[in-house]
Amino acid sequence: MTKIVIISPSVRNGRNSHRIALYIMNLIKDMNLGDAEILDLLKYNFPLFNERLKYQDSPSAVVVEFAGKIRTADGVVIIAPEYNGGYPASLKNVIDLLTDEWRRKPVAFVTVSDGNFAGTQVITSLQFIFWKLGALTVPHQ
């Protein structure tokens, strides 16, 4: 069965984007598209990025677990709240933490914003970053 992980990166109080992560997870399951799991960055509570995982001498177990879930996933859906035209620092933190895990990994984006641009500005940044990492991003907007 196809294994999809959904990254819910907002760590704010009263976050709305996590509801979208739950919706996408249930949609994947209800449509029998695969097995879906949410990786909630609020629960992971990673420290501020200081080094890529592959260069860390003794990474925490939770970082290794997170990397393993990305590595073994058939695809990743990132729920991307748009803050001032960009994405949250918590998301950039985990993007930069990993390297090989992103390479040739299919990645899709779902943007969330109550602003005038409806999340469209954040997609450009994310597509560029994941392109640089060698991921296979879904080009549809």
Side-chain angles (χ1 to χ4, degrees):
M1 179 174 282
T2 303
K3 183 179 176 186
I4 306 295
V5 295
I6 302 160
I7 298 178
S8 180
S10 181
V11 295
R12 295 170 73 176
N13 289 330
R15 62 192 177 152
N16 290 316
S17 59
H18 191 69
R19 294 182 312 181
I20 305 303
L22 292 167
Y23 174 82
I24 296 295
M25 181 184 70
N26 290 330
L27 182 69
I28 290 168
K29 289 179 178 182
D30 291 347
M31 295 183 71
N32 235 1
L33 299 173
D35 184 30
E37 175 185 10
I38 294 175
L39 304 181
D40 185 353
L41 297 188
L42 178 62
K43 290 181 181 174
Y44 276 97
N45 194 25
F46 288 125
L48 188 62
F49 171 80
N50 62 2
E51 185 56 84
R52 294 191 185 280
L53 175 60
K54 69 181 184 179
Y55 298 124
Q56 292 181 18
D57 291 331
S58 55
S60 71
V62 72
V63 168
V64 172
E65 173 200 332
F66 181 85
K69 288 183 180 204
I70 298 295
R71 185 181 308 105
T72 60
D74 295 307
V76 177
V77 177
I78 296 176
I79 310 302
E82 184 177 284
Y83 302 152
N84 302 316
Y87 44 86
S90 57
L91 180 55
K92 180 67 168 150
N93 205 35
V94 298
I95 291 170
D96 290 345
L97 178 66
L98 308 178
T99 52
D100 299 337
E101 293 83 358
W102 296 123
R103 198 162 290 114
R104 303 209 42 85
K105 182 70 61 184
V107 179
F109 310 106
V110 176
T111 61
V112 181
S113 174
D114 63 359
N116 293 336
F117 296 103
T120 58
Q121 294 180 321
V122 72
I123 285 186
T124 304
S125 300
L126 287 171
Q127 284 181 327
F128 180 76
I129 290 167
F130 278 97
W131 170 73
K132 295 288 284 183
L133 291 168
L136 306 172
T137 62
V138 176
H140 299 288
Q141 292 188 17

